[in-house]
Amino acid sequence: MLRVHTPAGPMPCREAAAAQWRMLPSTVAVGRKRWAAAVRCVGANSAVSGVEEAAAAAAAVSGGGKGLAERLRLGSLVEDGLSYKESFIVRCYEVGINKTATVETIANLLQEVGCNHAQSVGFSTDGFATTPTMRKLRLIWVTSRMHIEIYKYPAWGDVVEIETWCQGEGRIGTRRDWIIKDLATSEVIGRATSKWVMMNQDTRKLQRVTDEVREEYLVFCPRTLRLAFPEENNGSLKKIPKLENPAQYSRLGLGPRRADFDMNQHVNNVTYIGWVLESMPQDIIDTHELQTITLDYRRECQHDDMVDSLTSQELTDDDGTNGSAIAKHQEQEHRQFLHFLGLSGTGLELNRGRTEWRKLVR
């Protein structure tokens, strides 16, 4: 394993990445020269050089006219300016019982890097990446679909690098994709894609993307179609059927907390993920880990609404193979579920989803 020497002795590159990250706030306080000296302690071929270079740049607290948060942030546009990369350390409060990041943590980081990308090109983060024309017309972006695949969950103390970019999605919205890597190994550990539509902030009605708005953001998008997932045979495009009653599992009467509402007075997208998982059977939670989640957002949840979370196992083609031993083993290793979030009492659909779970290896 590549090792990095520090004043405290050698450490693996993964730990070195986290250690260099933690040094950043104090090094900014003592000045650029001291941080540059610390950076020189690390070999030029280190797997954490990307973190160090970004940190050294952020430590230049004078110049550029940037705010302190932007100078401390370990993110920047890539060379062609058409995508954005940022690194994050996984904190102790972002992991679950397995000491790995939760899917809610991953989703929050995706949202954070998307907002920082928008800020880096001059868009406002008041309404999550609104362009000048959108702000003038009181328009905001809202998610219509989110698809996340996690191949390996980062652990407490790991440093992840997330790259994101956006592009047009027909005449009614836009698309944002992400690739998640373990910074220490450069291994791709996850991918995600999403679709967004415009909504009037006052009327809460959807609105078509105008040419003026499109021209404002397309200049920062890849010139040719670039996708985190190939278009053929991938789950991000798969239609989610409505869950049939009665559901196998349910959690009724869930309500949004005040902290669940974002700056758009909108229940945050990540809250819906938590609601979906609330009705998962405990035996699956104990023996499997979430591999893929796809959510279609259908309706807003208001402050006083109560939500019912319903879940049923989705039968796959393998489930009808005459009960063979191979099919039963596959079913135990890999499970798939359909989800429905509806308003208590009326049953109006807020969200429908699909999750895939793999057997947990301990």
Side-chain angles (χ1 to χ4, degrees), residues 76-102:
S76 62
L77 293 169
V78 299
E79 290 183 2
D80 63 6
L82 302 181
S83 70
Y84 175 89
K85 289 183 179 180
E86 186 168 352
S87 300
F88 303 90
I89 189 168
V90 177
R91 308 293 186 178
C92 66
Y93 53 82
E94 295 174 323
V95 303
I97 59 176
N98 296 319
K99 298 182 181 180
T100 56
T102 65

Short mmCIF file of all heavy atoms in Angstrom, two decimals, residues 76-102:
data_model
loop_
_atom_site.label_atom_id
_atom_site.label_comp_id
_atom_site.label_asym_id
_atom_site.label_seq_id
_atom_site.Cartn_x
_atom_site.Cartn_y
_atom_site.Cartn_z
N SER A 76 -13.68 22.47 -7.59
CA SER A 76 -13.39 23.40 -8.68
C SER A 76 -13.93 22.83 -9.98
O SER A 76 -14.19 21.63 -10.10
CB SER A 76 -11.90 23.66 -8.80
OG SER A 76 -11.22 22.45 -9.12
N LEU A 77 -14.07 23.71 -10.95
CA LEU A 77 -14.43 23.28 -12.29
C LEU A 77 -13.27 22.49 -12.89
O LEU A 77 -12.09 22.76 -12.60
CB LEU A 77 -14.74 24.48 -13.18
CG LEU A 77 -15.99 25.29 -12.82
CD1 LEU A 77 -16.01 26.60 -13.61
CD2 LEU A 77 -17.25 24.48 -13.11
N VAL A 78 -13.58 21.52 -13.72
CA VAL A 78 -12.51 20.80 -14.42
C VAL A 78 -11.97 21.68 -15.53
O VAL A 78 -12.46 22.79 -15.77
CB VAL A 78 -13.03 19.45 -14.99
CG1 VAL A 78 -13.52 18.55 -13.86
CG2 VAL A 78 -14.13 19.68 -16.00
N GLU A 79 -10.95 21.22 -16.22
CA GLU A 79 -10.23 22.07 -17.16
C GLU A 79 -11.11 22.67 -18.23
O GLU A 79 -10.95 23.84 -18.60
CB GLU A 79 -9.09 21.27 -17.80
CG GLU A 79 -7.95 20.95 -16.82
CD GLU A 79 -6.82 20.23 -17.50
OE1 GLU A 79 -6.90 20.01 -18.73
OE2 GLU A 79 -5.84 19.86 -16.82
N ASP A 80 -12.06 21.89 -18.76
CA ASP A 80 -12.89 22.44 -19.84
C ASP A 80 -14.04 23.29 -19.30
O ASP A 80 -14.78 23.89 -20.08
CB ASP A 80 -13.44 21.33 -20.74
CG ASP A 80 -14.35 20.35 -20.01
OD1 ASP A 80 -14.66 20.58 -18.83
OD2 ASP A 80 -14.75 19.34 -20.63
N GLY A 81 -14.19 23.34 -17.98
CA GLY A 81 -15.23 24.17 -17.38
C GLY A 81 -16.63 23.62 -17.48
O GLY A 81 -17.59 24.29 -17.10
N LEU A 82 -16.79 22.39 -17.97
CA LEU A 82 -18.12 21.83 -18.23
C LEU A 82 -18.57 20.82 -17.19
O LEU A 82 -19.64 20.25 -17.31
CB LEU A 82 -18.16 21.22 -19.63
CG LEU A 82 -17.82 22.19 -20.77
CD1 LEU A 82 -17.91 21.48 -22.11
CD2 LEU A 82 -18.72 23.42 -20.75
N SER A 83 -17.75 20.58 -16.19
CA SER A 83 -18.16 19.77 -15.04
C SER A 83 -17.41 20.27 -13.83
O SER A 83 -16.49 21.09 -13.93
CB SER A 83 -17.93 18.27 -15.28
OG SER A 83 -16.56 17.96 -15.28
N TYR A 84 -17.78 19.76 -12.68
CA TYR A 84 -17.25 20.26 -11.41
C TYR A 84 -16.93 19.08 -10.51
O TYR A 84 -17.70 18.12 -10.46
CB TYR A 84 -18.31 21.17 -10.76
CG TYR A 84 -17.98 21.70 -9.38
CD1 TYR A 84 -17.29 22.90 -9.22
CD2 TYR A 84 -18.39 21.02 -8.24
CE1 TYR A 84 -17.00 23.39 -7.96
CE2 TYR A 84 -18.10 21.51 -6.97
CZ TYR A 84 -17.40 22.70 -6.84
OH TYR A 84 -17.14 23.19 -5.59
N LYS A 85 -15.79 19.15 -9.82
CA LYS A 85 -15.40 18.09 -8.89
C LYS A 85 -15.20 18.68 -7.50
O LYS A 85 -14.66 19.78 -7.35
CB LYS A 85 -14.09 17.43 -9.33
CG LYS A 85 -14.19 16.56 -10.56
CD LYS A 85 -12.85 15.91 -10.86
CE LYS A 85 -12.92 15.01 -12.09
NZ LYS A 85 -11.61 14.37 -12.38
N GLU A 86 -15.60 17.91 -6.49
CA GLU A 86 -15.40 18.34 -5.12
C GLU A 86 -15.17 17.11 -4.25
O GLU A 86 -15.75 16.04 -4.50
CB GLU A 86 -16.59 19.14 -4.61
CG GLU A 86 -16.36 19.75 -3.23
CD GLU A 86 -17.41 20.76 -2.84
OE1 GLU A 86 -18.25 21.12 -3.70
OE2 GLU A 86 -17.39 21.20 -1.67
N SER A 87 -14.32 17.26 -3.24
CA SER A 87 -14.01 16.16 -2.33
C SER A 87 -14.62 16.42 -0.96
O SER A 87 -14.68 17.56 -0.50
CB SER A 87 -12.49 16.00 -2.20
OG SER A 87 -11.92 15.70 -3.45
N PHE A 88 -15.05 15.33 -0.32
CA PHE A 88 -15.69 15.40 0.99
C PHE A 88 -15.15 14.28 1.87
O PHE A 88 -14.91 13.17 1.40
CB PHE A 88 -17.21 15.22 0.88
CG PHE A 88 -17.89 16.22 -0.01
CD1 PHE A 88 -18.05 15.95 -1.36
CD2 PHE A 88 -18.39 17.41 0.50
CE1 PHE A 88 -18.69 16.85 -2.20
CE2 PHE A 88 -19.02 18.32 -0.32
CZ PHE A 88 -19.17 18.05 -1.67
N ILE A 89 -15.00 14.56 3.16
CA ILE A 89 -14.67 13.52 4.11
C ILE A 89 -15.97 13.04 4.75
O ILE A 89 -16.87 13.84 5.01
CB ILE A 89 -13.69 14.01 5.19
CG1 ILE A 89 -13.21 12.85 6.05
CG2 ILE A 89 -14.29 15.10 6.05
CD1 ILE A 89 -12.02 13.20 6.94
N VAL A 90 -16.10 11.75 4.97
CA VAL A 90 -17.30 11.19 5.60
C VAL A 90 -17.17 11.37 7.11
O VAL A 90 -16.25 10.85 7.73
CB VAL A 90 -17.48 9.71 5.24
CG1 VAL A 90 -18.69 9.12 5.96
CG2 VAL A 90 -17.62 9.54 3.73
N ARG A 91 -18.09 12.12 7.70
CA ARG A 91 -18.06 12.43 9.13
C ARG A 91 -18.77 11.34 9.93
O ARG A 91 -19.57 10.56 9.41
CB ARG A 91 -18.74 13.78 9.39
CG ARG A 91 -18.24 14.92 8.53
CD ARG A 91 -16.81 15.29 8.86
NE ARG A 91 -16.38 16.47 8.11
CZ ARG A 91 -15.19 17.04 8.23
NH1 ARG A 91 -14.30 16.51 9.05
NH2 ARG A 91 -14.88 18.10 7.53
N CYS A 92 -18.49 11.32 11.23
CA CYS A 92 -19.07 10.27 12.08
C CYS A 92 -20.58 10.34 12.13
O CYS A 92 -21.26 9.32 12.25
CB CYS A 92 -18.48 10.36 13.49
SG CYS A 92 -18.90 11.85 14.40
N TYR A 93 -21.16 11.55 12.03
CA TYR A 93 -22.62 11.69 12.10
C TYR A 93 -23.29 11.41 10.77
O TYR A 93 -24.51 11.51 10.64
CB TYR A 93 -23.00 13.09 12.58
CG TYR A 93 -22.37 14.23 11.80
CD1 TYR A 93 -22.92 14.66 10.59
CD2 TYR A 93 -21.23 14.87 12.26
CE1 TYR A 93 -22.34 15.69 9.87
CE2 TYR A 93 -20.66 15.91 11.56
CZ TYR A 93 -21.21 16.32 10.37
OH TYR A 93 -20.63 17.35 9.65
N GLU A 94 -22.50 11.02 9.75
CA GLU A 94 -23.05 10.72 8.43
C GLU A 94 -23.08 9.22 8.15
O GLU A 94 -23.43 8.81 7.05
CB GLU A 94 -22.23 11.43 7.35
CG GLU A 94 -22.33 12.95 7.43
CD GLU A 94 -21.40 13.64 6.46
OE1 GLU A 94 -20.28 13.14 6.23
OE2 GLU A 94 -21.79 14.69 5.92
N VAL A 95 -22.70 8.40 9.13
CA VAL A 95 -22.69 6.96 8.93
C VAL A 95 -23.78 6.31 9.76
O VAL A 95 -24.28 6.89 10.73
CB VAL A 95 -21.31 6.35 9.27
CG1 VAL A 95 -20.21 7.00 8.45
CG2 VAL A 95 -21.01 6.49 10.77
N GLY A 96 -24.14 5.09 9.37
CA GLY A 96 -25.16 4.34 10.08
C GLY A 96 -24.55 3.25 10.96
O GLY A 96 -23.37 3.30 11.33
N ILE A 97 -25.35 2.25 11.25
CA ILE A 97 -24.93 1.21 12.20
C ILE A 97 -23.77 0.38 11.66
O ILE A 97 -23.04 -0.24 12.44
CB ILE A 97 -26.12 0.29 12.56
CG1 ILE A 97 -26.69 -0.37 11.30
CG2 ILE A 97 -27.20 1.06 13.31
CD1 ILE A 97 -27.80 -1.36 11.60
N ASN A 98 -23.58 0.37 10.35
CA ASN A 98 -22.47 -0.38 9.77
C ASN A 98 -21.20 0.45 9.65
O ASN A 98 -20.22 0.00 9.05
CB ASN A 98 -22.87 -0.91 8.38
CG ASN A 98 -24.00 -1.89 8.44
OD1 ASN A 98 -24.05 -2.73 9.34
ND2 ASN A 98 -24.94 -1.80 7.52
N LYS A 99 -21.21 1.67 10.16
CA LYS A 99 -20.08 2.60 10.10
C LYS A 99 -19.76 3.02 8.68
O LYS A 99 -18.62 3.42 8.38
CB LYS A 99 -18.85 2.01 10.79
CG LYS A 99 -19.05 1.73 12.28
CD LYS A 99 -17.78 1.19 12.91
CE LYS A 99 -18.02 0.89 14.39
NZ LYS A 99 -16.79 0.34 15.05
N THR A 100 -20.73 2.91 7.79
CA THR A 100 -20.58 3.41 6.43
C THR A 100 -21.63 4.49 6.19
O THR A 100 -22.65 4.55 6.88
CB THR A 100 -20.74 2.29 5.39
OG1 THR A 100 -22.02 1.65 5.58
CG2 THR A 100 -19.62 1.27 5.52
N ALA A 101 -21.37 5.32 5.20
CA ALA A 101 -22.28 6.41 4.90
C ALA A 101 -23.67 5.87 4.56
O ALA A 101 -23.80 4.84 3.91
CB ALA A 101 -21.73 7.23 3.73
N THR A 102 -24.69 6.57 5.00
CA THR A 102 -26.06 6.19 4.66
C THR A 102 -26.39 6.70 3.26
O THR A 102 -25.71 7.59 2.73
CB THR A 102 -27.05 6.78 5.66
OG1 THR A 102 -27.02 8.22 5.55
CG2 THR A 102 -26.71 6.36 7.08
#
